Coordinates of all heavy atoms in Angstrom, one line a residue:
Chain A
S285 N 0.1 -2.3 13.6 CA 0.8 -3.4 14.5 C 2.3 -3.1 14.6 O 2.8 -3.5 15.6 CB 0.6 -4.7 13.8 OG 1.3 -4.9 12.7
L286 N 2.9 -2.5 13.5 CA 4.3 -2.3 13.6 C 4.7 -1.0 14.4 O 5.8 -1.0 14.9 CB 4.8 -2.0 12.1 CG 5.0 -3.4 11.3 CD1 5.3 -3.0 9.9 CD2 5.9 -4.3 11.9
Q287 N 3.7 -0.1 14.6 CA 4.0 1.1 15.4 C 4.3 0.7 16.8 O 5.0 1.5 17.5 CB 2.8 2.1 15.2 CG 3.0 2.9 14.0 CD 1.7 3.7 13.8 OE1 0.6 3.4 14.3 NE2 1.8 4.7 12.9
G288 N 3.9 -0.5 17.3 CA 4.3 -0.8 18.6 C 5.7 -1.5 18.8 O 6.2 -1.7 19.9
Q289 N 6.3 -2.0 17.7 CA 7.4 -2.7 17.7 C 8.7 -1.7 18.0 O 8.7 -0.7 17.3 CB 7.6 -3.4 16.4 CG 6.6 -4.3 16.1 CD 7.0 -5.7 16.5 OE1 8.1 -6.1 16.9 NE2 5.9 -6.7 16.4
S290 N 9.5 -2.2 18.8 CA 10.7 -1.4 19.1 C 11.7 -1.5 17.9 O 11.8 -2.5 17.3 CB 11.4 -1.8 20.4 OG 12.1 -3.0 20.1
G291 N 12.3 -0.3 17.6 CA 13.3 -0.4 16.5 C 12.7 -0.1 15.2 O 13.4 0.0 14.1
I292 N 11.3 -0.1 15.1 CA 10.7 0.1 13.8 C 9.8 1.3 13.8 O 9.1 1.7 14.8 CB 9.7 -1.0 13.5 CG1 10.6 -2.3 13.2 CG2 8.9 -0.8 12.3 CD1 9.8 -3.6 13.0
T293 N 9.9 2.2 12.8 CA 9.0 3.4 12.6 C 8.1 3.1 11.5 O 8.6 2.8 10.4 CB 9.9 4.7 12.5 OG1 10.8 4.7 13.6 CG2 9.0 5.9 12.5
A294 N 6.9 3.3 11.7 CA 5.9 3.0 10.6 C 4.9 4.2 10.4 O 4.7 4.9 11.5 CB 5.1 1.7 10.8
H295 N 4.5 4.4 9.3 CA 3.5 5.5 9.0 C 2.7 5.2 7.9 O 3.0 4.4 7.0 CB 4.2 6.9 9.0 CG 4.8 7.2 7.7 ND1 5.0 8.4 7.2 CD2 5.2 6.4 6.7 CE1 5.6 8.4 5.9 NE2 5.8 7.1 5.6
N296 N 1.6 6.0 7.7 CA 0.9 6.0 6.5 C 1.1 7.4 5.8 O 0.6 8.4 6.2 CB -0.7 6.0 6.7 CG -1.1 4.6 7.3 OD1 -0.8 3.5 6.7 ND2 -1.7 4.6 8.5
G297 N 2.0 7.4 4.9 CA 2.4 8.7 4.2 C 1.4 9.1 3.2 O 0.8 8.3 2.4
D298 N 1.1 10.5 3.1 CA 0.2 11.0 2.1 C 0.7 10.7 0.7 O 1.9 11.0 0.4 CB 0.0 12.5 2.3 CG -0.7 12.7 3.6 OD1 -1.5 11.9 4.1 OD2 -0.6 13.9 4.1
S299 N -0.2 10.1 -0.1 CA 0.3 9.8 -1.5 C -0.5 10.7 -2.4 O -1.7 10.9 -2.2 CB 0.1 8.4 -1.8 OG -0.6 8.2 -2.9
P300 N 0.1 11.3 -3.4 CA -0.6 12.2 -4.2 C -1.5 11.5 -5.2 O -1.4 11.4 -6.4 CB 0.6 13.0 -5.0 CG 1.6 12.0 -5.0 CD 1.5 11.2 -3.7
G301 N -2.6 11.0 -4.6 CA -3.7 10.4 -5.3 C -5.0 10.5 -4.7 O -5.1 10.8 -3.6
F302 N -6.1 10.2 -5.5 CA -7.4 10.2 -4.9 C -8.2 9.0 -5.3 O -7.9 8.3 -6.3 CB -8.1 11.5 -5.3 CG -8.4 11.6 -6.7 CD1 -9.7 11.1 -7.3 CD2 -7.5 12.2 -7.5 CE1 -9.8 11.2 -8.6 CE2 -7.8 12.4 -8.9 CZ -8.9 11.8 -9.5
D303 N -9.3 8.7 -4.5 CA -10.2 7.7 -4.9 C -11.5 8.4 -5.2 O -11.8 9.4 -4.6 CB -10.5 6.6 -3.8 CG -9.3 5.7 -3.8 OD1 -8.5 5.7 -4.6 OD2 -9.3 4.8 -2.8
E304 N -12.3 7.9 -6.1 CA -13.6 8.6 -6.5 C -14.6 7.6 -6.8 O -14.4 6.4 -7.0 CB -13.3 9.5 -7.7 CG -13.6 8.8 -9.1 CD -12.4 8.0 -9.6 OE1 -11.3 8.2 -9.1 OE2 -12.6 7.4 -10.6
I305 N -15.9 8.1 -6.6 CA -17.0 7.5 -7.1 C -17.4 8.1 -8.4 O -17.6 9.4 -8.4 CB -18.3 7.6 -6.1 CG1 -18.0 6.6 -4.9 CG2 -19.5 7.1 -6.8 CD1 -18.9 6.8 -3.8
A306 N -17.4 7.4 -9.5 CA -17.5 8.0 -10.9 C -18.8 7.7 -11.4 O -19.3 6.6 -11.2 CB -16.3 7.6 -11.7
F307 N -19.2 8.6 -12.3 CA -20.5 8.4 -13.0 C -20.3 8.2 -14.5 O -19.4 8.7 -15.1 CB -21.5 9.5 -12.7 CG -21.9 9.6 -11.3 CD1 -21.2 10.5 -10.5 CD2 -22.9 8.9 -10.8 CE1 -21.6 10.6 -9.1 CE2 -23.3 9.0 -9.4 CZ -22.6 9.9 -8.6
N308 N -21.3 7.6 -15.2 CA -21.4 7.7 -16.7 C -22.1 9.0 -17.0 O -23.2 9.2 -16.8 CB -22.2 6.5 -17.1 CG -22.2 6.4 -18.6 OD1 -21.9 7.4 -19.3 ND2 -22.4 5.3 -19.2
A309 N -21.1 10.0 -17.4 CA -21.7 11.4 -17.7 C -22.1 11.4 -19.1 O -22.3 12.6 -19.6 CB -20.6 12.3 -17.3
G310 N -22.2 10.4 -19.9 CA -22.6 10.5 -21.2 C -21.7 9.7 -22.2 O -20.9 10.3 -23.0
S311 N -21.9 8.4 -22.2 CA -21.0 7.6 -23.1 C -21.5 7.8 -24.6 O -22.6 7.6 -24.7 CB -21.0 6.1 -22.7 OG -22.3 5.7 -22.4
V312 N -20.6 8.0 -25.4 CA -20.9 8.2 -26.9 C -19.9 7.5 -27.7 O -18.8 7.2 -27.4 CB -20.9 9.7 -27.3 CG1 -22.1 10.3 -26.7 CG2 -19.6 10.4 -27.0
D313 N -20.3 7.2 -28.9 CA -19.4 6.7 -29.9 C -18.6 7.9 -30.4 O -19.2 8.8 -30.9 CB -20.1 6.1 -31.1 CG -19.2 5.5 -32.2 OD1 -18.2 6.1 -32.5 OD2 -19.6 4.4 -32.7
T314 N -17.2 7.9 -30.2 CA -16.4 9.1 -30.4 C -16.4 9.5 -31.9 O -16.1 10.6 -32.2 CB -15.0 8.8 -29.9 OG1 -14.6 7.6 -30.3 CG2 -14.9 9.0 -28.4
K315 N -16.7 8.6 -32.8 CA -16.7 8.8 -34.2 C -18.0 9.5 -34.6 O -18.0 10.5 -35.3 CB -16.4 7.6 -35.1 CG -15.1 7.0 -34.9 CD -14.6 6.1 -36.0 CE -13.3 5.5 -35.8 NZ -13.4 4.4 -34.8
T316 N -19.1 8.8 -34.3 CA -20.4 9.5 -34.8 C -21.0 10.3 -33.8 O -22.0 11.2 -34.1 CB -21.3 8.3 -35.0 OG1 -21.6 7.6 -33.7 CG2 -20.8 7.3 -36.0
G317 N -20.6 10.4 -32.5 CA -21.2 11.2 -31.5 C -22.6 10.7 -31.0 O -23.2 11.3 -30.2
K318 N -23.0 9.5 -31.4 CA -24.2 8.9 -31.0 C -24.1 8.2 -29.7 O -23.0 7.6 -29.4 CB -24.7 7.8 -32.0 CG -25.2 8.5 -33.3 CD -26.3 7.5 -33.9 CE -26.8 8.0 -35.2 NZ -25.8 7.6 -36.3
P319 N -25.0 8.3 -28.7 CA -24.8 7.6 -27.4 C -24.7 6.1 -27.6 O -25.3 5.5 -28.5 CB -26.2 7.8 -26.8 CG -26.8 9.0 -27.5 CD -26.3 8.9 -28.8
I320 N -23.8 5.7 -26.7 CA -23.6 4.1 -26.7 C -23.9 3.7 -25.2 O -23.8 4.4 -24.3 CB -22.3 3.6 -27.2 CG1 -21.1 4.4 -26.4 CG2 -22.1 3.8 -28.7 CD1 -19.8 3.7 -26.6
G321 N -24.0 2.4 -25.1 CA -24.1 1.9 -23.7 C -25.6 2.0 -23.2 O -26.4 2.5 -23.9
D322 N -25.7 1.8 -21.9 CA -27.0 1.9 -21.3 C -27.1 2.6 -19.9 O -27.5 2.0 -19.0 CB -27.7 0.5 -21.2 CG -26.9 -0.4 -20.4 OD1 -25.7 0.0 -19.9 OD2 -27.3 -1.6 -20.1
P323 N -26.5 3.8 -19.9 CA -26.5 4.5 -18.6 C -27.9 4.9 -18.1 O -28.8 5.1 -19.0 CB -25.7 5.8 -18.9 CG -25.8 6.1 -20.3 CD -25.9 4.7 -20.9
N324 N -28.2 4.8 -16.9 CA -29.4 5.3 -16.3 C -29.6 6.8 -16.6 O -28.5 7.5 -16.3 CB -29.4 5.0 -14.8 CG -30.7 5.2 -14.1 OD1 -31.3 6.2 -14.3 ND2 -31.2 4.2 -13.5
P325 N -30.7 7.2 -17.1 CA -30.7 8.6 -17.5 C -30.5 9.5 -16.3 O -30.0 10.7 -16.5 CB -32.2 8.7 -18.0 CG -32.9 7.4 -17.8 CD -31.9 6.4 -17.5
A326 N -30.7 9.1 -15.0 CA -30.6 10.0 -13.9 C -29.0 10.5 -13.8 O -28.8 11.6 -13.5 CB -31.0 9.4 -12.7
V327 N -28.1 9.4 -14.0 CA -26.7 9.8 -13.8 C -26.1 10.7 -14.9 O -25.1 11.3 -14.7 CB -25.8 8.6 -13.6 CG1 -26.2 7.7 -12.5 CG2 -25.8 7.8 -14.9
L328 N -26.9 10.9 -16.0 CA -26.4 11.8 -17.0 C -26.6 13.2 -16.6 O -26.1 14.2 -17.2 CB -27.2 11.5 -18.3 CG -27.0 10.1 -18.9 CD1 -27.9 10.0 -20.1 CD2 -25.5 9.8 -19.3
D329 N -27.5 13.5 -15.6 CA -27.8 14.8 -15.2 C -26.8 15.3 -14.1 O -26.7 14.7 -13.0 CB -29.3 14.8 -14.6 CG -29.7 16.1 -14.1 OD1 -28.9 17.1 -14.2 OD2 -30.8 16.3 -13.6

Side-chain angles (χ1 to χ4, degrees):
Chain A
S285 78
L286 285 173
Q287 275 165 345
Q289 299 266 347
S290 71
I292 292 177
T293 306
H295 79 155
N296 295 303
D298 291 338
S299 121
F302 65 87
D303 282 353
E304 89 274 353
I305 290 174
F307 296 95
N308 186 337
S311 46
V312 291
D313 184 318
T314 45
K315 290 199 187 78
T316 62
K318 290 210 183 83
I320 54 165
D322 58 358
N324 190 305
V327 299
L328 299 176
D329 180 358

